[in-house]
């Protein structure tokens, strides 16, 4: 599929010491390792690729059924199926040497030690990766990262431990399945995170009325897609009001209006997730139309959008 | 893999609740490799239903491809409402194909429900290569069949209620055919209970069989990791990747019966 390549507006954004060519990233778990659909997408046009969560050892993931469509969304419970950090270093890092887009490595673990070991292994080799997104909020794994993501002290402790290990970007990915996402975000910020990303999927359930069965093997899964966009916008806006570090917004982004709304709510960058399943080239389309939007609305750059929403009260 | 805006050439109900749709999709038709491959259909351009729907290709010729589908939910109702001349976005061709049906064995083609789509396709391929074969198609009732029961042409129909063809499942004629023919190779597509029965029968009687399995899919090309089936291998461990579970969209949908297990 042929897509445009002309970008005129200033779409660049900065997080920590890294400058990204545009704010359109693809979300972890929705774009594999970035190499799965070469005929349908020029990945070098993306702001960044956040690669699928890696764990210390490879993981097979959950038994089927793992996914189901829901109104304007889908529920997944993949269970962090992944190749493991060793194979990621061996097979994927050399491929990333040849890409010009930035690579953010998503890391998941079941305890602090696992996250630390993975980051130590990643930092022990030379690579072009720009940073790490720390999955402290996967809802689909027993003993998963959720206990970190719902607890301020655990979030702070993990952030501190990882901060010591890397000078690369450290982004903590926040769960919406908490009573107060802002306090978790502040814990990450105070412990040295460069940014937070929000939101991970919302815990959901789907039932087949005819058979009386749950549609997902693990009963509950992570709801994503346009159905969760209002939740994501609200959480990004709350975080923006209290945090000083950049916020990477996500949850149901399928077009440029969604990107603009997420940036107006306070996102510095955004991640396209579920929409990649339908069309892995959708990020490129959004980049082109965001460029038009910036030009047509007489803004100087994409950064003018950040936090610019006019609230009515 | 191609994403192509395809024009609907025809869309009709061919039996009770069973529909056949033809698309003009020259690029996908050109890239098509054989029976077993599927397309992933975007029924609506809006995001009310975010995921595409995988459907087996029932024919691919002259720049056109067809599917056969049964109405059982919102999206298949939408498909049935679509008219000639409208366009929809298709992704494909995806997945692997039935294989080795032309290597001197006697293919027995077995379809159940709308799983007959790739089976009808394989029948055409057998006919084109002049490979002698038998086809058995099962349905719940006679009104779901749209082909004729013609034992003299080696086409056997079965129905659960006996209204057309043999009463019962595809297993009854299959057992007869196996006795009457040597060197058989089974090729099956249909609901899981049928595939399970064919698999058990094939393994017990040491008959080679290929099964085309169906699954919900998030993407159709390996991104989402949503469409898995367990491999039949007792030595696999959980701290591995892609050893215990196979991705149906990339590794399948066609598997040797002995390579996978159901539930």
């Amino acid at each position: 599929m042929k897509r445009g390549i002309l970008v005129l507006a200033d779409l660049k954004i900065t997080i920590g010491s890294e400058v990204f060519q545009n704010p359109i990233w693809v979300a972890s778990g929705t774009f594999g390792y970035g190499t799965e659909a070469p005929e349908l997408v020029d990945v070098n046009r993306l702001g960044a690729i956040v690669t699928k969560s890696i764990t210390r050892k490879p993981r097979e993931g959950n038994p089927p059924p793992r996914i189901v469509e829901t109104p304007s969304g889908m529920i997944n419970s993949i269970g962090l199926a992944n190749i493991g950090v060793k194979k990621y270093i061996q097979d994927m890092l050399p491929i990333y040497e040849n890409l010009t887009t930035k690579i953010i490595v998503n890391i998941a673990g079941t305890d602090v030690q696992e996250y630390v070991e993975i980051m130590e292994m990643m930092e022990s080799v030379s690579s072009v990766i720009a940073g790490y997104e720390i999955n402290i909020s996967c809802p689909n794994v027993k003993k998963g990262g959720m206990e970190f993501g719902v607890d301020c002290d655990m979030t702070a402790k993990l952030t501190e431990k990882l901060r010591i290990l890397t000078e690369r970007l450290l982004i903590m990915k926040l769960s919406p399945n908490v009573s107060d996402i802002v306090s978790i975000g502040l814990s990450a910020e105070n412990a040295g995170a460069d940014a937070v990303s929000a939101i991970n999927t919302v815990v959901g359930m789907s039932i087949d009325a005819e058979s009386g069965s749950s549609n997902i093997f693990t009963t509950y899964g992570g709801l994503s897609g346009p159905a969760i966009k209002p939740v994501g916008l609200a959480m990004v806006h709350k975080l923006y009001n209290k945090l000083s570090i950049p916020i990477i917004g996500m949850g149901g982004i399928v077009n440029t209006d969604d990107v603009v709304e997420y940036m107006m709510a306070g996102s510095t960058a955004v991640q396209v997730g579920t929409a990649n399943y339908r069309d892995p080239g959708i990020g490129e389309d959004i980049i082109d139309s965001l460029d038009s939007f910036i030009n047509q609305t007489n803004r100087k750059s994409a950064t003018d959008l950040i936090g610019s929403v006019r609230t009515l009260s | 893999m191609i994403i192509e805006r395809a024009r609907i050439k025809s869309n009709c109900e061919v039996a009770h609740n069973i529909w056949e749709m033809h698309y003009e999709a020259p690029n996908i038709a050109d890239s098509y490799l054989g029976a077993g491959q599927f397309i992933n259909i975007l029924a609506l351009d809006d995001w009310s239903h975010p995921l595409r729907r995988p459907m087996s290709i029932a024919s691919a010729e002259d720049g056109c491809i067809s599917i056969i589908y049964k109405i059982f939910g919102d999206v298949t109702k939408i498909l049935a409402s679509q008219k000639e001349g409208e366009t929809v976005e298709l992704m494909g061709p995806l997945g692997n194909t039935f294989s080795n049906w032309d290597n001197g064995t006697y293919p027995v083609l077995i379809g159940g429900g709308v799983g007959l789509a790739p089976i009808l396709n394989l029948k055409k391929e057998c006919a084109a290569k002049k490979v002698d074969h038998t086809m058995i198609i099962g349905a719940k009732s006679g009104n779901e069949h749209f082909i004729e029961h013609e034992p003299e042409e080696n086409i056997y129909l079965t129905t659960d209620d006996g209204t057309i063809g043999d009463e019962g499942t595809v297993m009854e004629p299959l057992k007869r055919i196996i006795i009457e023919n040597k060197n058989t190779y089974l090729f099956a597509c249909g609901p899981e209970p049928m595939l399970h029965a064919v698999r058990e029968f094939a393994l017990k009687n040491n008959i080679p069989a290929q099964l085309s399995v169906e699954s919900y899919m998030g993407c159709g090309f390996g991104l989402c990791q949503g469409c898995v089936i367990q491999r039949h291998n007792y030595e696999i461990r959980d701290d591995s990747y892609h050893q215990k579970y196979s991705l149906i969209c990339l590794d399948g949908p066609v598997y040797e019966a002995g390579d996978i297990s159901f539930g």
Side-chain angles (χ1 to χ4, degrees):
Chain A
M1 181 169 285
K2 199 171 182 182
R3 296 176 193 271
I5 51 163
L6 192 63
V7 175
L8 296 172
D10 180 7
L11 298 184
K12 286 199 283 293
I13 56 110
T14 304
I15 295 177
S17 56
E18 292 283 347
V19 178
F20 295 81
Q21 61 182 338
N22 65 62
I24 312 300
W25 303 9
V26 286
S28 177
T30 67
F31 212 71
Y33 298 105
T35 57
E36 280 80 352
E39 30 334 25
L40 294 179
V41 58
D42 176 4
V43 295
N44 285 324
R45 294 202 61 219
L46 298 168
I49 298 170
V50 187
T51 56
K52 181 161 181 55
S53 285
I54 50 166
T55 50
R56 176 72 181 78
K57 290 183 175 172
R59 285 180 60 95
E60 284 289 346
N62 293 332
R66 292 178 170 184
I67 54 167
V68 64
E69 189 178 77
T70 57
S72 298
M74 66 177 282
I75 293 175
N76 86 79
S77 180
I78 307 301
L80 296 178
N82 80 95
I83 59 179
V85 63
K86 269 190 192 166
K87 200 163 172 58
Y88 185 88
I89 288 171
Q90 183 186 310
D91 294 353
M92 304 318 301
L93 290 185
I95 292 171
Y96 300 151
E97 298 283 335
N98 300 317
L99 300 182
T100 56
T101 191
K102 292 195 186 291
I103 300 294
I104 307 287
V105 183
N106 185 293
I107 292 175
T110 55
D111 54 35
V112 172
Q113 190 56 31
E114 183 172 2
Y115 288 97
V116 166
E117 282 179 27
I118 295 166
M119 191 174 280
E120 283 175 342
M121 288 174 75
M122 289 297 303
E123 286 289 310
S124 71
V125 295
S126 159
S127 78
V128 296
I129 62 163
Y132 302 94
E133 181 182 68
I134 309 303
N135 182 356
I136 55 169
S137 50
C138 179
N140 298 328
V141 181
K142 278 181 193 167
K143 263 185 77 191
M146 191 64 120
E147 62 257 44
F148 297 104
V150 300
D151 185 298
C152 289
D153 291 342
M154 289 294 286
T155 300
K157 186 182 167 192
L158 181 63
T159 308
E160 276 169 19
K161 290 255 184 195
L162 298 178
R163 180 72 285 171
I164 296 165
L165 297 176
T166 184
E167 292 182 354
R168 292 188 168 98
L169 284 188
L170 180 62
I171 303 165
M172 305 304 281
K173 185 169 185 178
L174 306 182
S175 169
N177 307 304
V178 295
S179 54
D180 180 13
I181 195 169
V182 174
S183 59
I184 311 271
L186 283 169
S187 298
E189 175 174 311
N190 294 333
D194 294 302
V196 293
S197 50
I199 55 177
N200 205 328
T201 54
V202 179
V203 170
M205 182 174 182
S206 168
I207 297 171
D208 182 339
E210 201 173 317
S211 69
S213 296
S214 163
N215 284 319
I216 292 284
F217 180 84
T218 52
T219 309
Y220 313 117
L223 176 64
S224 64
I228 69 164
K229 192 181 96 174
V231 180
L233 282 175
M235 292 201 163
V236 165
H237 191 248
K238 286 179 180 181
L239 289 163
Y240 180 75
N241 283 338
K242 298 287 183 190
L243 270 60
S244 308
I245 54 175
I247 298 147
I248 299 144
M250 77 189 94
I253 293 174
V254 303
N255 58 36
T256 302
D257 282 356
D258 296 335
V259 171
V260 168
E261 290 169 32
Y262 263 98
M263 293 188 77
M264 287 176 165
S267 306
T268 297
V270 298
Q271 295 181 14
V272 179
T274 301
N276 289 311
Y277 296 151
R278 176 148 139 180
D279 178 1
I282 198 162
E284 280 188 84
D285 292 344
I286 291 176
I287 291 163
D288 290 335
S289 53
L290 179 64
D291 181 76
S292 303
F293 180 90
I294 302 289
N295 282 324
Q296 284 164 14
T297 55
N298 297 319
R299 287 177 167 87
K300 285 181 188 157
S301 73
T303 55
D304 291 352
L305 292 167
I306 301 169
S308 67
V309 64
R310 200 170 58 248
T311 52
L312 304 179
S313 60
Chain B
M1 178 172 60
I2 294 157
I3 291 181
E4 181 169 29
R5 194 93 206 159
R7 185 178 162 277
I8 296 169
K9 205 175 161 195
S10 65
N11 187 21
C12 350
E13 188 172 17
V14 291
H16 177 65
N17 250 0
I18 311 278
W19 289 63
E20 183 175 30
M21 178 117 74
H22 281 85
Y23 298 102
E24 287 175 11
N27 296 323
I28 291 174
D30 276 357
S31 303
Y32 168 78
L33 296 175
Q37 284 201 294
F38 62 96
I39 51 173
N40 221 352
I41 302 170
L42 189 58
L44 285 177
D45 288 331
D46 72 21
W47 289 85
S48 56
H49 295 85
L51 303 183
R52 294 171 184 269
R53 290 297 189 277
M55 295 273 176
S56 222
I57 297 172
S59 68
E61 51 203 357
D62 304 327
C64 292
I65 55 175
S66 70
I67 59 165
I68 294 167
Y69 61 99
K70 183 174 187 169
I71 297 179
F72 67 94
D74 287 357
V75 171
T76 43
K77 272 184 201 150
I78 292 163
L79 291 183
S81 73
Q82 292 173 334
K83 304 278 187 289
E84 181 189 338
E86 292 179 23
T87 63
V88 289
E89 199 188 274
L90 308 180
M91 176 189 281
L94 300 164
N96 65 354
T97 67
F98 289 112
S99 58
N100 295 324
W101 46 269
D102 54 352
N103 67 354
T105 54
Y106 183 76
V108 182
L109 319 181
I110 308 158
V114 288
L116 88 172
I119 295 302
L120 287 179
N121 207 350
L122 184 55
K123 180 171 174 53
K124 278 184 211 149
E125 291 177 13
C126 286
K129 281 201 172 181
K130 298 192 175 7
V131 174
D132 283 340
H133 60 277
T134 287
M135 182 170 77
I136 311 166
I137 302 293
K140 283 182 184 159
S141 188
N143 63 2
E144 292 183 356
H145 278 304
F146 59 90
I147 52 177
E148 300 295 320
H149 180 63
E150 295 177 292
E152 63 282 4
E153 299 289 328
N154 289 329
I155 298 172
Y156 298 87
L157 302 187
T158 69
T159 46
D160 294 353
D161 61 8
T163 44
I164 286 183
D166 293 357
E167 183 172 345
T169 72
V170 295
M171 298 310 293
E172 297 313 313
L174 174 59
K175 286 170 189 165
R176 290 201 308 270
I177 289 159
I178 294 302
I179 293 166
E180 290 164 10
N181 294 278
K182 285 179 182 168
N183 209 17
T184 51
Y185 202 140
L186 313 185
F187 299 89
C189 183
E192 191 171 307
M194 186 201 95
L195 293 182
H196 188 65
V198 171
R199 177 180 181 277
E200 295 294 304
F201 177 78
L203 293 180
K204 191 177 162 193
N205 294 285
N206 208 20
I207 301 164
Q210 290 176 19
L211 312 177
S212 178
V213 300
E214 296 177 344
S215 173
Y216 233 117
M217 287 184 188
C219 63
F221 53 97
L223 278 187
C224 76
Q225 308 269 312
C227 59
V228 289
I229 188 161
Q230 190 167 328
R231 296 183 201 267
H232 183 69
N233 181 343
Y234 294 106
E235 292 175 10
I236 46 186
R237 303 178 319 185
D238 280 337
D239 58 347
S240 58
Y241 170 71
H242 204 219
Q243 301 297 309
K244 181 176 183 180
Y245 293 119
S246 167
L247 285 174
I248 292 170
C249 66
L250 290 184
D251 307 326
V254 179
Y255 293 89
E256 291 290 338
D259 290 347
I260 53 170
S261 59
F262 295 103

